[in-house]
Amino acid sequence: MAEPASHFIGVDFGGTKIYAGVFDASLECIGTARMSTKAPRGPEAVIHRIARCVADAVDECDLDAKAIAGVGIGAPGAVDPQAGKVVFAPNLPGWKDILLKKQLEQELGMRVFAENDCNVSMLGVYQVELKAKPKHALGIFMGTGIGGGVVINGEAYSGFNRAAGEVGHMVLQVGGPECGCGNHGCFEALASRTAIFKRIHTAVKQGQKTILTDRLGKDLEDMRSGDLRKAIRKGDKFVAKVIEDAAIHTGVAVGNLLNLFNPEVVVLGGGLIEALEDEMMPIITATALDHALPGTAKGIDIRACTLGDDAGITGGAVLAQRSVKKA
Amino acid sequence: MAEPASHFIGVDFGGTKIYAGVFDASLECIGTARMSTKAPRGPEAVIHRIARCVADAVDECDLDAKAIAGVGIGAPGAVDPQAGKVVFAPNLPGWKDILLKKQLEQELGMRVFAENDCNVSMLGVYQVELKAKPKHALGIFMGTGIGGGVVINGEAYSGFNRAAGEVGHMVLQVGGPECGCGNHGCFEALASRTAIFKRIHTAVKQGQKTILTDRLGKDLEDMRSGDLRKAIRKGDKFVAKVIEDAAIHTGVAVGNLLNLFNPEVVVLGGGLIEALEDEMMPIITATALDHALPGTAKGIDIRACTLGDDAGITGGAVLAQRSVKKA
């Protein structure tokens, strides 16, 4: 109780889970809590669960609400940070123009700041992992979908309609596989976990042999990125080829981004990279350098994110700290 | 002779021609001069010709060298503007680490500022055509190659190695046609004048019928973008299809850039757009909007450059004016 309002909370939530972390003033994480999202119950129920998850994390650290200076939350969709509003979240039923900040402030009695989840993760990577050193940096977060975060001149860059950094919907293959966005050949349709799983499912249905079915059955139920890593390490050439192709497409995407943004650092994160870093990163880096124009990539650092699953909550805490300072 | 050092000169040069313009303090062009580059003669001879072209433009306006506050020049390659050095220019024989600024200052007795030509053109478009109003803007210049210029927060953005905005080498079609850069499926390999001419040449060799051969002979000698426009207007369906495909690829590229940079304005310029604006722009705009994620393109302006061939010299004058002010 001695230290009033010196801590920050970061919250990361998606279609399946809510994850909250309490951070001290030096951005050290001192406790976390997790909860399932129960997205089908709708926005009000989800916001209530987020509040419970935050309360659990605070309690976990033997703190009370008065110790919290602010909460930063990343939402999986288009967010208007001024209004604290989730404009649209494609994977959360009913999330259209939801006043997340206001409703969560009422539930928690704490100040809340909301942003797009990839922007928040990039903020965490930039501030804590990169120590805010590079002037220009890009983050690519690969999981179910593929999102990005852009830092230009040391500040999060979001463009005219706050929609910049949508790296997942950069077309790499005109006429390629259909994407969830309705277009074809997007980076996300070629290299996300969803795209990879779809390719494996289709091939298995067509008779492709793979170690994966030994373990998961012929319907490949509950397949995870880690299963792919295990299959590759056991010598499954089919799975190795699928992951190689995804890594090549990711390398082409990174090459494009080097030629367009010419950042100092590109950080790749998300569940897919976390599980398959050793398999994917060497191919991604080689392909990206091969596609960068001469001189473009000199001294540039292409690396896997070390914050892993904590990028989102760390970024949320950074967002809260920065926003409280500004206010 | 009354007004000392109140004028600026912009210079645009490439593999075939040098173009210089004299501008007054309000950036009105009061006179121009043109000269062939004679690129095969090497850097020293070309720099000497640039100096002569600048002197011609000054003389054209009944001014003398004392009236010129500075010269801004755009070079077709990688430029280090601090050193005033052309690091590399792919289409100019012998241009490697050429101290353009220093050598031209010695020849002219005027202050000289050098930058990449697409960055300079974008500066002209931004300052004079867009009145420096949008915070974030992109320029795409389509001719022999495809280059770009990026403005973020009202300033030219060039990234870590001053190589940002290389839109022509964004891969849109993995495994697509070979590009001059050595990779495959770059925007430039799909939609530049070079790519379009190559496709037409190949098809004609394979027996494709087109109005173009009536006018230019079976070898299509001296074909220009304007010939394509005339052929389309006379009902040549083959040429119309080639240009439609190039416009669709350009639209995909613009859509990618909307999703990545989310600028307020995208300006398309260069000889190809100037000649085929009516044929290409409607397709480019529709395709780009179709590829932008929901919300991204709201209120965004996609337009053809009205400065045309003068974007480069105008930008050169803006560069000189800004640089003199800063110094």
Side-chain angles (χ1 to χ4, degrees):
Chain A
M1 305 291 135
E3 240 179 324
S6 59
H7 290 71
F8 302 93
I9 293 178
V11 182
D12 185 20
F13 80 107
T16 51
K17 75 168 207 310
I18 301 163
Y19 183 31
V22 180
F23 292 74
D24 65 19
S26 61
L27 293 172
E28 194 83 29
C29 184
I30 59 168
T32 63
R34 282 169 201 270
M35 196 171 280
S36 61
T37 307
K38 306 284 185 204
R41 293 186 192 170
E44 275 201 42
V46 170
I47 292 172
H48 185 63
R49 292 178 74 79
I50 293 171
R52 275 176 54 197
C53 189
V54 167
D56 287 356
V58 173
D59 185 57
E60 174 70 28
C61 306
D62 299 312
L63 291 170
D64 75 15
K66 289 193 199 91
I68 308 303
V71 178
I73 182 164
V79 178
D80 173 347
Q82 257 73 47
K85 186 170 73 176
V86 179
V87 181
F88 178 61
N91 298 315
L92 297 173
W95 284 70
K96 204 173 175 300
D97 294 325
I98 299 298
L99 294 168
L100 176 61
K101 173 193 169 79
K102 195 176 150 195
Q103 292 185 41
L104 206 49
E105 283 184 338
Q106 282 169 355
E107 288 236 20
L108 284 170
M110 298 171 187
R111 297 177 66 188
V112 175
F113 307 92
E115 247 287 16
N116 164 272
D117 57 353
C118 287
N119 291 350
V120 168
S121 290
M122 186 56 199
L123 202 57
V125 168
Y126 184 72
Q127 185 74 39
V128 174
E129 185 169 340
L130 304 177
K131 313 287 176 207
K133 276 182 193 159
K135 265 182 86 173
H136 316 306
L138 284 180
I140 301 175
F141 301 98
M142 301 178 69
T144 314
I146 298 178
V150 182
V151 170
I152 285 179
N153 289 318
E155 296 285 334
Y157 173 76
S158 57
F160 182 58
N161 287 315
R162 307 200 56 86
E166 282 289 359
V167 299
H169 299 283
M170 166 169 51
V171 172
L172 301 178
Q173 179 79 66
V174 170
E178 193 174 0
C179 183
C181 75
N183 282 307
H184 288 80
C186 296
F187 175 25
E188 183 169 302
L190 292 161
S192 65
R193 187 167 49 216
T194 313
I196 290 168
F197 284 10
K198 202 169 163 185
R199 185 169 160 195
I200 292 174
H201 272 289
T202 306
V204 166
K205 265 188 204 157
Q206 292 169 349
Q208 173 68 47
K209 293 237 149 61
T210 158
I211 296 173
L212 290 169
T213 49
D214 300 350
R215 192 187 163 85
L216 304 167
K218 70 172 174 48
D219 292 333
L220 299 172
E221 249 179 284
D222 295 325
M223 182 161 55
R224 299 165 139 259
S225 306
D227 297 317
L228 307 188
R229 183 186 57 229
K230 285 173 202 153
I232 292 172
R233 293 190 183 170
K234 280 184 188 162
D236 190 317
K237 286 194 180 147
F238 162 67
V239 176
K241 177 76 174 92
V242 171
I243 292 303
E244 187 193 346
D245 287 351
I248 289 172
H249 281 120
T250 306
V252 172
V254 174
N256 280 356
L257 296 171
L258 294 180
N259 288 333
L260 293 170
F261 286 95
N262 194 207
E264 188 173 347
V265 185
V266 179
V267 181
L268 290 111
L272 190 68
I273 295 293
E274 222 182 324
L276 290 152
E277 179 182 337
D278 293 346
E279 286 72 19
M280 293 182 76
M281 283 304 294
I283 302 171
I284 292 171
T285 304
T287 309
L289 296 179
D290 195 39
H291 280 79
L293 288 183
T296 304
K298 198 178 162 189
I300 281 179
D301 183 14
I302 301 169
R303 57 153 84 185
C305 173
T306 56
L307 285 176
D309 203 27
D310 287 351
I313 58 168
T314 307
V318 174
L319 173 66
Q321 194 182 45
R322 286 193 176 193
S323 305
V324 166
K325 256 187 209 164
K326 273 186 200 164
Chain B
M1 305 291 131
E3 241 178 322
S6 58
H7 290 70
F8 301 94
I9 293 178
V11 183
D12 185 20
F13 80 108
T16 51
K17 74 169 207 311
I18 301 162
Y19 183 30
V22 181
F23 292 74
D24 65 19
S26 61
L27 292 173
E28 193 83 29
C29 184
I30 59 167
T32 63
R34 281 168 203 269
M35 196 171 281
S36 61
T37 306
K38 306 284 184 203
R41 294 187 191 169
E44 275 200 43
V46 170
I47 292 172
H48 185 63
R49 292 179 73 80
I50 293 171
R52 275 176 55 196
C53 189
V54 167
D56 287 355
V58 174
D59 185 57
E60 174 71 28
C61 307
D62 299 312
L63 291 170
D64 75 14
K66 288 193 200 90
I68 309 303
V71 178
I73 183 164
V79 178
D80 173 348
Q82 256 73 49
K85 187 170 71 177
V86 179
V87 180
F88 178 61
N91 298 314
L92 297 173
W95 284 70
K96 204 171 175 301
D97 294 326
I98 299 299
L99 294 169
L100 177 62
K101 174 194 170 79
K102 196 177 150 195
Q103 292 185 39
L104 207 49
E105 283 184 339
Q106 282 169 355
E107 288 236 22
L108 284 170
M110 299 171 186
R111 300 177 66 187
V112 175
F113 307 93
E115 246 287 16
N116 164 271
D117 57 352
C118 287
N119 291 350
V120 169
S121 290
M122 187 56 198
L123 203 57
V125 167
Y126 184 71
Q127 186 72 39
V128 174
E129 185 169 340
L130 304 177
K131 313 287 176 208
K133 277 181 192 159
K135 265 182 86 172
H136 316 305
L138 284 180
I140 302 175
F141 301 98
M142 303 178 70
T144 313
I146 298 179
V150 181
V151 169
I152 285 178
N153 289 318
E155 296 285 334
Y157 172 77
S158 57
F160 182 58
N161 287 314
R162 307 200 55 85
E166 282 289 358
V167 298
H169 300 282
M170 166 168 53
V171 172
L172 301 178
Q173 179 78 65
V174 170
E178 194 175 359
C179 184
C181 75
N183 283 307
H184 288 79
C186 297
F187 175 25
E188 183 169 301
L190 292 161
S192 65
R193 188 167 49 214
T194 313
I196 290 168
F197 284 9
K198 203 170 163 185
R199 184 169 161 196
I200 293 174
H201 272 289
T202 306
V204 166
K205 264 187 206 157
Q206 291 169 348
Q208 173 67 48
K209 292 240 152 58
T210 157
I211 296 173
L212 290 169
T213 48
D214 300 349
R215 191 188 164 83
L216 304 167
K218 69 174 174 47
D219 292 334
L220 299 172
E221 249 178 283
D222 295 326
M223 182 160 57
R224 298 164 138 259
S225 306
D227 297 319
L228 308 188
R229 184 186 56 228
K230 285 174 203 155
I232 293 172
R233 292 189 185 171
K234 280 183 189 161
D236 190 318
K237 286 194 179 146
F238 162 66
V239 176
K241 177 76 174 87
V242 171
I243 293 303
E244 187 192 347
D245 288 351
I248 289 171
H249 282 120
T250 306
V252 172
V254 174
N256 280 357
L257 296 170
L258 294 179
N259 289 332
L260 293 170
F261 286 94
N262 194 206
E264 187 173 345
V265 184
V266 179
V267 181
L268 290 110
L272 190 68
I273 295 294
E274 223 183 323
L276 290 151
E277 179 182 337
D278 292 347
E279 286 72 21
M280 293 181 75
M281 284 304 295
I283 301 171
I284 292 170
T285 304
T287 309
L289 295 180
D290 195 40
H291 280 79
L293 287 183
T296 304
K298 197 179 163 189
I300 281 179
D301 182 13
I302 301 169
R303 58 152 86 184
C305 173
T306 57
L307 285 177
D309 202 27
D310 288 350
I313 58 168
T314 307
V318 174
L319 173 66
Q321 192 181 46
R322 287 193 176 192
S323 305
V324 167
K325 256 188 210 164
K326 271 185 202 165

Short mmCIF file of all heavy atoms in Angstrom, two decimals, chain A residues 95-125:
data_model
loop_
_atom_site.label_atom_id
_atom_site.label_comp_id
_atom_site.label_asym_id
_atom_site.label_seq_id
_atom_site.Cartn_x
_atom_site.Cartn_y
_atom_site.Cartn_z
N TRP A 95 -18.51 -7.18 -32.08
CA TRP A 95 -17.63 -6.04 -31.78
C TRP A 95 -17.64 -5.05 -32.93
O TRP A 95 -16.83 -5.12 -33.85
CB TRP A 95 -16.22 -6.51 -31.47
CG TRP A 95 -16.11 -7.10 -30.09
CD1 TRP A 95 -16.63 -8.29 -29.69
CD2 TRP A 95 -15.46 -6.53 -28.95
NE1 TRP A 95 -16.35 -8.51 -28.36
CE2 TRP A 95 -15.62 -7.43 -27.89
CE3 TRP A 95 -14.75 -5.34 -28.72
CZ2 TRP A 95 -15.12 -7.19 -26.60
CZ3 TRP A 95 -14.23 -5.10 -27.46
CH2 TRP A 95 -14.43 -6.01 -26.41
N LYS A 96 -18.54 -4.09 -32.85
CA LYS A 96 -18.62 -3.01 -33.82
C LYS A 96 -18.92 -1.74 -33.02
O LYS A 96 -19.92 -1.68 -32.30
CB LYS A 96 -19.72 -3.32 -34.84
CG LYS A 96 -19.49 -2.60 -36.15
CD LYS A 96 -20.46 -3.03 -37.23
CE LYS A 96 -20.24 -2.17 -38.47
NZ LYS A 96 -20.43 -0.73 -38.26
N ASP A 97 -18.03 -0.75 -33.10
CA ASP A 97 -18.17 0.50 -32.37
C ASP A 97 -18.41 0.27 -30.88
O ASP A 97 -19.37 0.80 -30.29
CB ASP A 97 -19.31 1.34 -32.97
CG ASP A 97 -18.96 1.80 -34.38
OD1 ASP A 97 -17.77 2.08 -34.63
OD2 ASP A 97 -19.85 1.87 -35.24
N ILE A 98 -17.54 -0.50 -30.27
CA ILE A 98 -17.64 -0.80 -28.84
C ILE A 98 -16.73 0.15 -28.05
O ILE A 98 -15.53 0.24 -28.33
CB ILE A 98 -17.22 -2.27 -28.57
CG1 ILE A 98 -18.14 -3.24 -29.31
CG2 ILE A 98 -17.21 -2.56 -27.06
CD1 ILE A 98 -19.60 -3.19 -28.92
N LEU A 99 -17.31 0.85 -27.08
CA LEU A 99 -16.54 1.82 -26.28
C LEU A 99 -15.77 1.09 -25.18
O LEU A 99 -16.12 1.15 -24.00
CB LEU A 99 -17.47 2.89 -25.71
CG LEU A 99 -18.10 3.79 -26.79
CD1 LEU A 99 -19.22 4.65 -26.22
CD2 LEU A 99 -17.03 4.66 -27.47
N LEU A 100 -14.71 0.41 -25.59
CA LEU A 100 -13.94 -0.45 -24.69
C LEU A 100 -13.34 0.35 -23.53
O LEU A 100 -13.43 -0.07 -22.37
CB LEU A 100 -12.82 -1.13 -25.50
CG LEU A 100 -11.83 -2.00 -24.74
CD1 LEU A 100 -12.55 -3.17 -24.07
CD2 LEU A 100 -10.74 -2.54 -25.67
N LYS A 101 -12.73 1.49 -23.84
CA LYS A 101 -12.08 2.30 -22.81
C LYS A 101 -13.08 2.71 -21.73
O LYS A 101 -12.86 2.46 -20.54
CB LYS A 101 -11.48 3.55 -23.48
CG LYS A 101 -10.90 4.59 -22.52
CD LYS A 101 -10.63 5.89 -23.27
CE LYS A 101 -10.30 7.02 -22.33
NZ LYS A 101 -8.90 6.98 -21.85
N LYS A 102 -14.19 3.30 -22.17
CA LYS A 102 -15.18 3.84 -21.24
C LYS A 102 -15.79 2.72 -20.37
O LYS A 102 -15.87 2.84 -19.14
CB LYS A 102 -16.29 4.53 -22.05
CG LYS A 102 -17.18 5.45 -21.23
CD LYS A 102 -18.18 6.16 -22.13
CE LYS A 102 -19.45 6.44 -21.34
NZ LYS A 102 -20.56 6.80 -22.24
N GLN A 103 -16.17 1.63 -21.01
CA GLN A 103 -16.82 0.54 -20.27
C GLN A 103 -15.85 -0.13 -19.29
O GLN A 103 -16.24 -0.48 -18.18
CB GLN A 103 -17.39 -0.49 -21.25
CG GLN A 103 -18.57 0.06 -22.05
CD GLN A 103 -19.21 -1.00 -22.94
OE1 GLN A 103 -19.39 -2.15 -22.54
NE2 GLN A 103 -19.57 -0.62 -24.16
N LEU A 104 -14.61 -0.26 -19.72
CA LEU A 104 -13.62 -0.91 -18.85
C LEU A 104 -13.24 0.02 -17.70
O LEU A 104 -13.03 -0.43 -16.56
CB LEU A 104 -12.39 -1.30 -19.69
CG LEU A 104 -11.54 -2.46 -19.22
CD1 LEU A 104 -12.37 -3.69 -18.89
CD2 LEU A 104 -10.50 -2.81 -20.29
N GLU A 105 -13.18 1.33 -17.95
CA GLU A 105 -12.90 2.30 -16.88
C GLU A 105 -14.00 2.24 -15.82
O GLU A 105 -13.72 2.29 -14.62
CB GLU A 105 -12.77 3.71 -17.46
CG GLU A 105 -11.41 3.93 -18.13
CD GLU A 105 -11.18 5.34 -18.64
OE1 GLU A 105 -12.16 6.07 -18.87
OE2 GLU A 105 -9.99 5.70 -18.82
N GLN A 106 -15.26 2.12 -16.28
CA GLN A 106 -16.37 2.03 -15.33
C GLN A 106 -16.29 0.76 -14.49
O GLN A 106 -16.51 0.78 -13.29
CB GLN A 106 -17.71 2.07 -16.09
CG GLN A 106 -18.08 3.49 -16.51
CD GLN A 106 -19.25 3.54 -17.48
OE1 GLN A 106 -19.75 2.50 -17.92
NE2 GLN A 106 -19.70 4.74 -17.81
N GLU A 107 -15.94 -0.34 -15.12
CA GLU A 107 -15.86 -1.62 -14.40
C GLU A 107 -14.69 -1.63 -13.41
O GLU A 107 -14.80 -2.19 -12.33
CB GLU A 107 -15.68 -2.77 -15.40
CG GLU A 107 -16.94 -3.08 -16.19
CD GLU A 107 -17.37 -4.54 -16.04
OE1 GLU A 107 -16.96 -5.20 -15.06
OE2 GLU A 107 -18.13 -5.01 -16.90
N LEU A 108 -13.56 -1.04 -13.84
CA LEU A 108 -12.31 -1.18 -13.07
C LEU A 108 -12.05 -0.02 -12.11
O LEU A 108 -11.31 -0.18 -11.14
CB LEU A 108 -11.12 -1.29 -14.02
CG LEU A 108 -10.90 -2.62 -14.74
CD1 LEU A 108 -9.85 -2.46 -15.82
CD2 LEU A 108 -10.50 -3.71 -13.75
N GLY A 109 -12.59 1.17 -12.42
CA GLY A 109 -12.19 2.36 -11.67
C GLY A 109 -10.73 2.71 -11.90
O GLY A 109 -10.06 3.26 -11.02
N MET A 110 -10.20 2.35 -13.06
CA MET A 110 -8.81 2.69 -13.43
C MET A 110 -8.85 3.40 -14.78
O MET A 110 -9.80 3.25 -15.54
CB MET A 110 -7.96 1.42 -13.60
CG MET A 110 -7.82 0.58 -12.35
SD MET A 110 -7.02 -1.00 -12.77
CE MET A 110 -7.16 -1.85 -11.19
N ARG A 111 -7.79 4.15 -15.08
CA ARG A 111 -7.70 4.77 -16.40
C ARG A 111 -7.28 3.72 -17.42
O ARG A 111 -6.38 2.92 -17.17
CB ARG A 111 -6.68 5.90 -16.39
CG ARG A 111 -7.12 7.00 -15.44
CD ARG A 111 -6.09 8.08 -15.36
NE ARG A 111 -5.98 8.77 -16.64
CZ ARG A 111 -5.05 9.67 -16.90
NH1 ARG A 111 -4.12 9.94 -16.00
NH2 ARG A 111 -5.03 10.29 -18.06
N VAL A 112 -7.96 3.71 -18.58
CA VAL A 112 -7.72 2.69 -19.60
C VAL A 112 -7.37 3.37 -20.93
O VAL A 112 -7.93 4.41 -21.27
CB VAL A 112 -8.97 1.80 -19.78
CG1 VAL A 112 -8.78 0.81 -20.93
CG2 VAL A 112 -9.29 1.06 -18.48
N PHE A 113 -6.41 2.77 -21.65
CA PHE A 113 -6.01 3.26 -22.97
C PHE A 113 -6.02 2.08 -23.94
O PHE A 113 -5.45 1.03 -23.63
CB PHE A 113 -4.62 3.88 -22.91
CG PHE A 113 -4.52 4.94 -21.84
CD1 PHE A 113 -4.08 4.60 -20.55
CD2 PHE A 113 -4.90 6.24 -22.09
CE1 PHE A 113 -4.02 5.55 -19.55
CE2 PHE A 113 -4.85 7.21 -21.09
CZ PHE A 113 -4.40 6.86 -19.81
N ALA A 114 -6.70 2.25 -25.08
CA ALA A 114 -6.85 1.13 -26.02
C ALA A 114 -6.19 1.45 -27.35
O ALA A 114 -6.14 2.60 -27.78
CB ALA A 114 -8.33 0.83 -26.25
N GLU A 115 -5.68 0.40 -27.99
CA GLU A 115 -5.04 0.51 -29.31
C GLU A 115 -5.18 -0.83 -30.03
O GLU A 115 -5.53 -1.84 -29.41
CB GLU A 115 -3.55 0.85 -29.14
CG GLU A 115 -3.11 2.21 -29.63
CD GLU A 115 -3.05 2.34 -31.15
OE1 GLU A 115 -3.62 1.51 -31.87
OE2 GLU A 115 -2.43 3.31 -31.60
N ASN A 116 -4.89 -0.84 -31.30
CA ASN A 116 -4.83 -2.09 -32.06
C ASN A 116 -3.76 -3.02 -31.48
O ASN A 116 -2.68 -2.57 -31.08
CB ASN A 116 -4.52 -1.75 -33.52
CG ASN A 116 -4.07 -2.95 -34.33
OD1 ASN A 116 -2.88 -3.25 -34.36
ND2 ASN A 116 -4.99 -3.65 -34.92
N ASP A 117 -4.04 -4.33 -31.43
CA ASP A 117 -3.13 -5.25 -30.73
C ASP A 117 -1.71 -5.33 -31.33
O ASP A 117 -0.73 -5.43 -30.58
CB ASP A 117 -3.75 -6.66 -30.59
CG ASP A 117 -4.13 -7.28 -31.91
OD1 ASP A 117 -4.05 -6.58 -32.95
OD2 ASP A 117 -4.53 -8.46 -31.92
N CYS A 118 -1.62 -5.25 -32.66
CA CYS A 118 -0.27 -5.32 -33.27
C CYS A 118 0.51 -4.05 -32.98
O CYS A 118 1.73 -4.10 -32.75
CB CYS A 118 -0.36 -5.56 -34.77
SG CYS A 118 -0.85 -7.25 -35.14
N ASN A 119 -0.17 -2.90 -33.00
CA ASN A 119 0.51 -1.66 -32.63
C ASN A 119 1.01 -1.73 -31.20
O ASN A 119 2.11 -1.28 -30.88
CB ASN A 119 -0.42 -0.45 -32.78
CG ASN A 119 -0.75 -0.15 -34.24
OD1 ASN A 119 -0.14 -0.70 -35.14
ND2 ASN A 119 -1.72 0.72 -34.46
N VAL A 120 0.18 -2.31 -30.32
CA VAL A 120 0.57 -2.43 -28.91
C VAL A 120 1.76 -3.38 -28.76
O VAL A 120 2.73 -3.07 -28.07
CB VAL A 120 -0.63 -2.91 -28.05
CG1 VAL A 120 -0.17 -3.32 -26.66
CG2 VAL A 120 -1.69 -1.81 -27.95
N SER A 121 1.71 -4.53 -29.43
CA SER A 121 2.83 -5.48 -29.35
C SER A 121 4.11 -4.83 -29.85
O SER A 121 5.19 -5.00 -29.25
CB SER A 121 2.54 -6.73 -30.19
OG SER A 121 1.52 -7.49 -29.60
N MET A 122 4.00 -4.07 -30.94
CA MET A 122 5.19 -3.41 -31.50
C MET A 122 5.74 -2.38 -30.51
O MET A 122 6.95 -2.24 -30.37
CB MET A 122 4.83 -2.73 -32.82
CG MET A 122 6.02 -2.14 -33.55
SD MET A 122 7.31 -3.40 -33.85
CE MET A 122 8.73 -2.37 -34.15
N LEU A 123 4.85 -1.70 -29.80
CA LEU A 123 5.26 -0.73 -28.79
C LEU A 123 6.08 -1.43 -27.70
O LEU A 123 7.13 -0.93 -27.25
CB LEU A 123 4.01 -0.09 -28.19
CG LEU A 123 4.11 1.26 -27.52
CD1 LEU A 123 4.67 2.30 -28.47
CD2 LEU A 123 2.71 1.71 -27.06
N GLY A 124 5.62 -2.61 -27.28
CA GLY A 124 6.34 -3.38 -26.27
C GLY A 124 7.70 -3.83 -26.77
O GLY A 124 8.72 -3.68 -26.08
N VAL A 125 7.73 -4.35 -28.00
CA VAL A 125 8.99 -4.79 -28.60
C VAL A 125 9.95 -3.61 -28.71
O VAL A 125 11.13 -3.70 -28.37
CB VAL A 125 8.74 -5.41 -30.00
CG1 VAL A 125 10.04 -5.60 -30.76
CG2 VAL A 125 8.00 -6.74 -29.86
#
